[in-house]
Amino acid sequence: EVLQHESQYKGKGRVHEVAEAIFLQHASMGATLDPGAPFKAACWSLSKELPELTPLENASLEGRAFEQMDQEGDGVLQRHEFVDGVVELLNPATTSRRIGNVQERLVAGFVTKNDQDFAHVK
């Protein structure tokens, strides 16, 4: 399966521009994107700009995405790691084994938002 509107994200079009702008907005001095609050904010921004990535608002999937995007394993994301990771999540044809599991969860809608409404619980 592929994500909705996958064809509009092929190549270096809009998704690269959006991912790079979000990286620069949330990165520390424009150089690296740290785990925790900065990456959480970047995931939130991604979900607003690219609705297919809304599941990244879930903490468990967010953490998994960070781990998979961190190609250099240094605990922070460089611009190219973040942009490449976003592109891979949206383009199954380019998805590596490294990020495939996260992409599969996005496609399957594996993670849902918890609306914190427990009125139905007795």
Side-chain angles (χ1 to χ4, degrees):
E1 290 186 52
V2 295
L3 292 170
Q4 270 187 335
H5 312 296
E6 177 231 338
S7 62
Q8 87 182 64
Y9 299 121
K10 290 188 180 206
K12 293 193 174 195
R14 179 176 179 265
V15 71
H16 277 75
E17 295 167 8
V18 168
E20 188 165 325
I22 289 171
F23 177 88
L24 292 172
Q25 179 183 4
H26 299 288
S28 175
M29 297 183 1
T32 60
L33 186 58
D34 298 323
F39 187 69
K40 181 178 206 59
C43 287
W44 186 86
S45 295
L46 281 171
S47 74
K48 300 310 171 218
E49 292 294 324
L50 304 166
E52 294 84 352
L53 298 181
T54 298
L56 287 178
E57 292 178 2
N58 179 281
S60 63
L61 195 52
E62 167 197 322
R64 184 75 178 133
F66 187 92
E67 290 175 355
Q68 298 306 307
M69 288 180 178
D70 186 13
Q71 299 168 11
E72 297 173 8
D74 56 2
V76 296
L77 297 181
Q78 308 296 322
R79 185 184 322 191
H80 71 90
E81 292 174 311
F82 182 76
V83 173
D84 291 350
V86 171
V87 169
E88 285 188 40
L89 288 173
L90 292 169
N91 291 302
T94 66
T95 299
S96 65
R97 294 177 76 191
R98 174 181 55 79
I99 208 160
N101 187 35
V102 176
Q103 199 277 336
E104 288 172 10
R105 291 179 184 199
L106 288 171
V107 170
F110 181 81
V111 180
T112 58
K113 287 182 74 174
N114 181 351
D115 62 8
Q116 302 295 328
D117 179 11
F118 297 103
H120 63 285
V121 177
K122 295 185 183 208

